[in-house]
């Protein structure tokens, strides 16, 4: 009878970070002016694109949303025990 000399491999799995979409929480937490609205979308993982919109003041059809983006930022957002942590991502590469 042959002995099995293969060792059983144990897989180590790190706990997975919270993967819930925090877009709505970010929209509620970022600073804005009274005439601005904020739209945030998840790009991947904990990275988000946040746009600040100002709606145009001239009359338009009710079904036509018009306006312009006045500010746009890439953000990293994570949930902590103290609440939502939002950091701006900046490109630090030298040109």
């Amino acid at each position: 009878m042959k002995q099995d000399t293969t060792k059983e491999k144990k897989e180590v799995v790190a706990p997975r970070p919270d993967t819930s979409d925090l877009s709505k929480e970010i929209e509620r937490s970022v600073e804005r002016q009274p005439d601005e609205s904020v739209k945030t979308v998840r790009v991947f993982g904990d990275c988000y694109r946040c746009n600040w919109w100002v709606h145009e003041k001239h009359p338009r059809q009710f079904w036509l949303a018009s306006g312009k983006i006045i500010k746009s930022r890439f953000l990293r957002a994570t949930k902590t025990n103290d609440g939502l942590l939002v950091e701006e991502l900046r490109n630090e590469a030298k040109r």
Side-chain angles (χ1 to χ4, degrees):
M1 178 180 229
K2 257 186 166 179
Q3 269 187 332
D4 188 7
T5 58
T6 60
K7 293 184 179 179
E8 210 174 291
K9 291 184 180 180
K10 293 185 180 180
E11 192 174 324
V12 177
V13 179
R16 296 185 76 195
D18 184 13
T19 58
S20 57
D21 188 347
L22 303 173
S23 297
K24 295 300 177 194
E25 290 182 58
I26 294 168
E27 290 173 5
R28 288 189 295 267
S29 71
V30 295
E31 196 173 313
R32 74 186 85 203
Q33 298 300 315
D35 62 339
E36 295 174 348
S37 59
V38 177
K39 177 66 178 160
T40 303
V41 293
R42 186 179 191 183
V43 180
F44 61 88
D46 60 356
C47 296
Y48 297 82
R49 172 95 183 234
C50 192
N51 292 326
W52 284 257
W53 287 81
V54 174
H55 297 282
E56 293 185 12
K57 308 242 186 271
H58 67 299
R60 62 182 184 276
Q61 300 294 329
F62 71 92
W63 47 266
L64 179 62
S66 62
K68 64 180 180 176
I69 296 173
I70 59 167
K71 183 168 57 170
S72 184
R73 301 285 186 268
F74 283 104
L75 307 173
R76 174 174 288 128
T78 53
K79 283 268 201 166
T80 67
N81 291 336
D82 297 329
L84 185 65
L85 174 64
V86 179
E87 304 170 277
E88 183 176 346
L89 298 176
R90 295 179 180 249
N91 185 357
E92 301 295 330
K94 295 192 180 213
R95 296 179 186 206

